[in-house]
Amino acid sequence: MRRIIIDTDPGQDDAVAILLALASPEEIEVLGITAVAGNVPLALTQKNARIVCELAGRTDIKVFAGYDAPLRRKLITAEHVHGKTGLDGPSLPDPVMPLAEGHAVDFIVETVRREPEGTVTLCPLGPLTNIAAALQKAPDIAGRLQEIVLMGGAYFEVGNITPAAEFNIYVDPEAADIVMKSGVRITIMPLDVTHKALVTKARNDAFRALGTPVGVAVAQMTDFFERFDKEKYGSAGAPLHDPCVTAYLIRPDLFKGRFVNVEVETQSELTMGMTVADWWGVSKRKPNATFMGDIDAGEFFALLTERLARL
Ligand code: BDR
Ligand code: CA
């Protein structure tokens, strides 16, 4: 059983990642959700996180708001991918459940300190601002975490927001750098993996065929979200980036990667936010993260559809 805090900037793919976690109580206990600015500003990401909880019928989940901007930079958003609301596609009602009181970073710190050592996993699905801020505020939590499983970065796929960088890392490279150097056990789902998790027409039809509000909403989300990647990459459909994180907690055997050194560029404007993964072991730098490279996409979508059917 994994006990997790999801740190997120929903985002249609974030929404699917959250739904997968909430649909999998045998493997995953969601201790809380923390929102961060990323795909869209914080006012929308925290609201979208609550919309998704309500869609799943889980108004009991605590959703906290965190940082509204990166540690040292101006926020860059991705409305060109996710639409104006961040969750364009389905028309979902405004949430009734309130935002939890307190700051996301305090919730992360307090939870990791309160729970038994080695039992809490952080699952960042957006820029790493909240996570880095928590590690800076309370360095003792690094030794108490079980793992950080995050979506971010790229090596062979290189960049989606710049020629060199993936969006989550690019938005707050200083935060990503802090996380990579934290000493916590880290597993990374980069674009190298997520660009293989594509919602083809048949996979989208399978979501819609569930005939439930969740199945239909997920089909509408991925319908919307695929426009961008189809135009840009000529790919078969929307890449489900963030659900790779929650799927990994359920079925780690679906992913293949290497434990290597991963560092983040924070100086060069040209390659800002690039994740330099020593895939071939050519440096003497110490391995610090399991950098995934492959996914069994067929099994991943079978799992996702089977779990979403439960909601
Ligand atoms: C990442 O950026 C966001 O657009 C997605 O939600 C995902 O977390 C992919 O680069
Ligand atoms: Ca995201």
Side-chain angles (χ1 to χ4, degrees), residues 73 76 162-165 170 173-174 265-274:
R73 291 168 192 271
I76 295 158
T162 75
Y170 180 73
E174 284 78 20
E265 178 59 59
T266 58
Q267 303 297 321
S268 153
E269 276 310 318
L270 184 65
T271 54
M272 185 62 68
M274 184 174 188

PDB file of all heavy atoms in Angstrom, residues 73 76 162-165 170 173-174 265-274:
ATOM      1  N   ARG A  73      11.214  32.649 -10.320  1.00  0.00           N
ATOM      2  CA  ARG A  73      10.905  33.110 -11.677  1.00  0.00           C
ATOM      3  C   ARG A  73       9.442  33.490 -11.817  1.00  0.00           C
ATOM      4  O   ARG A  73       8.631  33.180 -10.961  1.00  0.00           O
ATOM      5  CB  ARG A  73      11.191  31.993 -12.685  1.00  0.00           C
ATOM      6  CG  ARG A  73      12.631  31.701 -12.830  1.00  0.00           C
ATOM      7  CD  ARG A  73      12.854  30.412 -13.596  1.00  0.00           C
ATOM      8  NE  ARG A  73      14.234  30.031 -13.467  1.00  0.00           N
ATOM      9  CZ  ARG A  73      15.191  30.439 -14.292  1.00  0.00           C
ATOM     10  NH1 ARG A  73      14.894  31.182 -15.329  1.00  0.00           N
ATOM     11  NH2 ARG A  73      16.444  30.083 -14.085  1.00  0.00           N
ATOM     12  N   ILE A  76       5.152  30.586 -15.989  1.00  0.00           N
ATOM     13  CA  ILE A  76       4.822  30.338 -17.400  1.00  0.00           C
ATOM     14  C   ILE A  76       3.709  29.303 -17.398  1.00  0.00           C
ATOM     15  O   ILE A  76       3.799  28.304 -16.680  1.00  0.00           O
ATOM     16  CB  ILE A  76       6.052  29.778 -18.149  1.00  0.00           C
ATOM     17  CG1 ILE A  76       7.151  30.839 -18.195  1.00  0.00           C
ATOM     18  CG2 ILE A  76       5.687  29.312 -19.548  1.00  0.00           C
ATOM     19  CD1 ILE A  76       8.526  30.267 -18.400  1.00  0.00           C
ATOM     20  N   THR A 162      10.445  24.006 -24.656  1.00  0.00           N
ATOM     21  CA  THR A 162      11.551  24.582 -25.432  1.00  0.00           C
ATOM     22  C   THR A 162      12.198  23.396 -26.152  1.00  0.00           C
ATOM     23  O   THR A 162      11.875  22.248 -25.835  1.00  0.00           O
ATOM     24  CB  THR A 162      12.623  25.262 -24.541  1.00  0.00           C
ATOM     25  OG1 THR A 162      13.411  24.249 -23.906  1.00  0.00           O
ATOM     26  CG2 THR A 162      12.010  26.193 -23.510  1.00  0.00           C
ATOM     27  N   PRO A 163      13.129  23.666 -27.083  1.00  0.00           N
ATOM     28  CA  PRO A 163      13.762  22.523 -27.749  1.00  0.00           C
ATOM     29  C   PRO A 163      14.486  21.601 -26.767  1.00  0.00           C
ATOM     30  O   PRO A 163      14.714  20.435 -27.071  1.00  0.00           O
ATOM     31  CB  PRO A 163      14.754  23.189 -28.710  1.00  0.00           C
ATOM     32  CG  PRO A 163      14.199  24.546 -28.960  1.00  0.00           C
ATOM     33  CD  PRO A 163      13.525  24.957 -27.670  1.00  0.00           C
ATOM     34  N   ALA A 164      14.806  22.115 -25.568  1.00  0.00           N
ATOM     35  CA  ALA A 164      15.615  21.325 -24.637  1.00  0.00           C
ATOM     36  C   ALA A 164      14.897  20.888 -23.369  1.00  0.00           C
ATOM     37  O   ALA A 164      15.403  20.025 -22.651  1.00  0.00           O
ATOM     38  CB  ALA A 164      16.865  22.137 -24.250  1.00  0.00           C
ATOM     39  N   ALA A 165      13.766  21.506 -23.062  1.00  0.00           N
ATOM     40  CA  ALA A 165      13.190  21.274 -21.729  1.00  0.00           C
ATOM     41  C   ALA A 165      11.727  20.847 -21.763  1.00  0.00           C
ATOM     42  O   ALA A 165      10.947  21.292 -22.620  1.00  0.00           O
ATOM     43  CB  ALA A 165      13.321  22.537 -20.883  1.00  0.00           C
ATOM     44  N   TYR A 170      10.953  23.050 -16.695  1.00  0.00           N
ATOM     45  CA  TYR A 170      11.273  24.370 -17.239  1.00  0.00           C
ATOM     46  C   TYR A 170      10.633  25.491 -16.420  1.00  0.00           C
ATOM     47  O   TYR A 170      11.245  26.540 -16.208  1.00  0.00           O
ATOM     48  CB  TYR A 170      10.779  24.451 -18.686  1.00  0.00           C
ATOM     49  CG  TYR A 170      11.065  25.774 -19.356  1.00  0.00           C
ATOM     50  CD1 TYR A 170      12.363  26.111 -19.740  1.00  0.00           C
ATOM     51  CD2 TYR A 170      10.036  26.687 -19.608  1.00  0.00           C
ATOM     52  CE1 TYR A 170      12.636  27.319 -20.351  1.00  0.00           C
ATOM     53  CE2 TYR A 170      10.302  27.900 -20.228  1.00  0.00           C
ATOM     54  CZ  TYR A 170      11.603  28.214 -20.592  1.00  0.00           C
ATOM     55  OH  TYR A 170      11.871  29.417 -21.202  1.00  0.00           O
ATOM     56  N   PRO A 173      13.002  25.491 -12.711  1.00  0.00           N
ATOM     57  CA  PRO A 173      14.216  24.661 -12.722  1.00  0.00           C
ATOM     58  C   PRO A 173      14.956  24.667 -11.379  1.00  0.00           C
ATOM     59  O   PRO A 173      15.536  23.645 -10.997  1.00  0.00           O
ATOM     60  CB  PRO A 173      15.081  25.276 -13.830  1.00  0.00           C
ATOM     61  CG  PRO A 173      14.458  26.573 -14.182  1.00  0.00           C
ATOM     62  CD  PRO A 173      13.045  26.561 -13.727  1.00  0.00           C
ATOM     63  N   GLU A 174      14.904  25.796 -10.670  1.00  0.00           N
ATOM     64  CA  GLU A 174      15.588  25.841  -9.358  1.00  0.00           C
ATOM     65  C   GLU A 174      14.938  24.851  -8.397  1.00  0.00           C
ATOM     66  O   GLU A 174      15.624  24.176  -7.616  1.00  0.00           O
ATOM     67  CB  GLU A 174      15.555  27.254  -8.769  1.00  0.00           C
ATOM     68  CG  GLU A 174      16.534  28.239  -9.399  1.00  0.00           C
ATOM     69  CD  GLU A 174      16.062  28.783 -10.745  1.00  0.00           C
ATOM     70  OE1 GLU A 174      14.850  28.707 -11.034  1.00  0.00           O
ATOM     71  OE2 GLU A 174      16.925  29.275 -11.511  1.00  0.00           O
ATOM     72  N   GLU A 265      19.553  21.758 -15.677  1.00  0.00           N
ATOM     73  CA  GLU A 265      20.227  22.991 -16.090  1.00  0.00           C
ATOM     74  C   GLU A 265      19.501  24.209 -15.505  1.00  0.00           C
ATOM     75  O   GLU A 265      18.292  24.362 -15.698  1.00  0.00           O
ATOM     76  CB  GLU A 265      20.241  23.076 -17.622  1.00  0.00           C
ATOM     77  CG  GLU A 265      20.863  24.345 -18.164  1.00  0.00           C
ATOM     78  CD  GLU A 265      22.312  24.525 -17.729  1.00  0.00           C
ATOM     79  OE1 GLU A 265      23.135  23.662 -18.025  1.00  0.00           O
ATOM     80  OE2 GLU A 265      22.609  25.550 -17.064  1.00  0.00           O
ATOM     81  N   THR A 266      20.242  25.031 -14.788  1.00  0.00           N
ATOM     82  CA  THR A 266      19.626  26.228 -14.196  1.00  0.00           C
ATOM     83  C   THR A 266      20.336  27.520 -14.625  1.00  0.00           C
ATOM     84  O   THR A 266      19.980  28.597 -14.159  1.00  0.00           O
ATOM     85  CB  THR A 266      19.651  26.168 -12.650  1.00  0.00           C
ATOM     86  OG1 THR A 266      21.018  26.036 -12.234  1.00  0.00           O
ATOM     87  CG2 THR A 266      18.831  25.017 -12.104  1.00  0.00           C
ATOM     88  N   GLN A 267      21.352  27.406 -15.490  1.00  0.00           N
ATOM     89  CA  GLN A 267      22.142  28.585 -15.852  1.00  0.00           C
ATOM     90  C   GLN A 267      21.933  29.023 -17.303  1.00  0.00           C
ATOM     91  O   GLN A 267      21.644  30.181 -17.563  1.00  0.00           O
ATOM     92  CB  GLN A 267      23.647  28.303 -15.647  1.00  0.00           C
ATOM     93  CG  GLN A 267      24.019  27.874 -14.233  1.00  0.00           C
ATOM     94  CD  GLN A 267      23.718  28.964 -13.200  1.00  0.00           C
ATOM     95  OE1 GLN A 267      23.925  30.144 -13.474  1.00  0.00           O
ATOM     96  NE2 GLN A 267      23.224  28.564 -12.043  1.00  0.00           N
ATOM     97  N   SER A 268      22.107  28.110 -18.221  1.00  0.00           N
ATOM     98  CA  SER A 268      22.072  28.473 -19.638  1.00  0.00           C
ATOM     99  C   SER A 268      20.655  28.782 -20.111  1.00  0.00           C
ATOM    100  O   SER A 268      19.746  27.962 -19.948  1.00  0.00           O
ATOM    101  CB  SER A 268      22.633  27.313 -20.462  1.00  0.00           C
ATOM    102  OG  SER A 268      22.073  27.333 -21.764  1.00  0.00           O
ATOM    103  N   GLU A 269      20.441  29.954 -20.678  1.00  0.00           N
ATOM    104  CA  GLU A 269      19.120  30.289 -21.214  1.00  0.00           C
ATOM    105  C   GLU A 269      18.733  29.325 -22.330  1.00  0.00           C
ATOM    106  O   GLU A 269      17.572  28.950 -22.470  1.00  0.00           O
ATOM    107  CB  GLU A 269      19.102  31.729 -21.741  1.00  0.00           C
ATOM    108  CG  GLU A 269      18.832  32.774 -20.665  1.00  0.00           C
ATOM    109  CD  GLU A 269      17.603  32.467 -19.799  1.00  0.00           C
ATOM    110  OE1 GLU A 269      16.573  32.034 -20.335  1.00  0.00           O
ATOM    111  OE2 GLU A 269      17.701  32.653 -18.565  1.00  0.00           O
ATOM    112  N   LEU A 270      19.720  28.913 -23.120  1.00  0.00           N
ATOM    113  CA  LEU A 270      19.449  28.051 -24.270  1.00  0.00           C
ATOM    114  C   LEU A 270      18.841  26.714 -23.859  1.00  0.00           C
ATOM    115  O   LEU A 270      17.922  26.219 -24.505  1.00  0.00           O
ATOM    116  CB  LEU A 270      20.754  27.817 -25.050  1.00  0.00           C
ATOM    117  CG  LEU A 270      20.643  27.013 -26.342  1.00  0.00           C
ATOM    118  CD1 LEU A 270      19.819  27.750 -27.385  1.00  0.00           C
ATOM    119  CD2 LEU A 270      22.034  26.712 -26.892  1.00  0.00           C
ATOM    120  N   THR A 271      19.362  26.146 -22.779  1.00  0.00           N
ATOM    121  CA  THR A 271      18.926  24.796 -22.381  1.00  0.00           C
ATOM    122  C   THR A 271      18.282  24.797 -20.996  1.00  0.00           C
ATOM    123  O   THR A 271      18.177  23.748 -20.358  1.00  0.00           O
ATOM    124  CB  THR A 271      20.120  23.816 -22.397  1.00  0.00           C
ATOM    125  OG1 THR A 271      21.158  24.372 -21.579  1.00  0.00           O
ATOM    126  CG2 THR A 271      20.629  23.578 -23.801  1.00  0.00           C
ATOM    127  N   MET A 272      17.806  25.955 -20.549  1.00  0.00           N
ATOM    128  CA  MET A 272      17.199  26.076 -19.216  1.00  0.00           C
ATOM    129  C   MET A 272      16.177  24.971 -18.943  1.00  0.00           C
ATOM    130  O   MET A 272      15.297  24.709 -19.752  1.00  0.00           O
ATOM    131  CB  MET A 272      16.511  27.441 -19.108  1.00  0.00           C
ATOM    132  CG  MET A 272      15.946  27.736 -17.735  1.00  0.00           C
ATOM    133  SD  MET A 272      17.259  27.792 -16.495  1.00  0.00           S
ATOM    134  CE  MET A 272      18.138  29.272 -17.002  1.00  0.00           C
ATOM    135  N   GLY A 273      16.327  24.310 -17.792  1.00  0.00           N
ATOM    136  CA  GLY A 273      15.351  23.305 -17.384  1.00  0.00           C
ATOM    137  C   GLY A 273      15.562  21.942 -18.034  1.00  0.00           C
ATOM    138  O   GLY A 273      14.772  21.021 -17.822  1.00  0.00           O
ATOM    139  N   MET A 274      16.634  21.796 -18.788  1.00  0.00           N
ATOM    140  CA  MET A 274      16.914  20.487 -19.396  1.00  0.00           C
ATOM    141  C   MET A 274      17.273  19.478 -18.308  1.00  0.00           C
ATOM    142  O   MET A 274      17.981  19.816 -17.354  1.00  0.00           O
ATOM    143  CB  MET A 274      18.083  20.634 -20.369  1.00  0.00           C
ATOM    144  CG  MET A 274      18.410  19.391 -21.144  1.00  0.00           C
ATOM    145  SD  MET A 274      19.690  19.800 -22.356  1.00  0.00           S
ATOM    146  CE  MET A 274      19.712  18.280 -23.282  1.00  0.00           C
TER     147      MET A 274
END
